Amino acid sequence: MGKLFVILGLVLVVIGLALTYAPWLLNWFGKLPGDINIKTESGQIFVPVTSMIIISILLTVIGNLFFKR
């Protein structure tokens, strides 16, 4: 369990550094075909369907590589 927390912490640090010093690395998020963005006069609705599917697939592959049983 401790190993998992260390890995998650390192991943969060890397993401934080990427967002701080290289924001262009994550410009694709939310701009893919299939991401829903509805703007009206009263507000905005944003549902990143395709982006979340890609992130889910990546996390599944990474999880299966590190945590084989």
Side-chain angles (χ1 to χ4, degrees):
M1 189 69 155
K3 184 179 177 181
L4 176 66
F5 284 132
V6 170
I7 292 171
L8 288 175
L10 291 174
V11 168
L12 287 175
V13 168
V14 169
I15 291 171
L17 289 172
L19 287 173
T20 302
Y21 296 110
W24 63 88
L25 290 176
L26 298 175
N27 278 345
W28 59 270
F29 185 78
K31 297 179 183 175
L32 296 173
D35 291 340
I36 301 169
N37 190 6
I38 302 172
K39 294 180 184 178
T40 63
E41 294 176 5
S42 61
Q44 179 178 356
I45 298 173
F46 177 65
V47 184
V49 176
T50 307
S51 298
M52 286 295 128
I53 290 172
I54 290 175
I55 289 175
S56 175
I57 291 170
L58 287 173
L59 289 175
T60 301
V61 169
I62 291 169
N64 285 333
L65 288 175
F66 284 109
F67 301 111
K68 287 185 178 181
R69 293 182 187 195

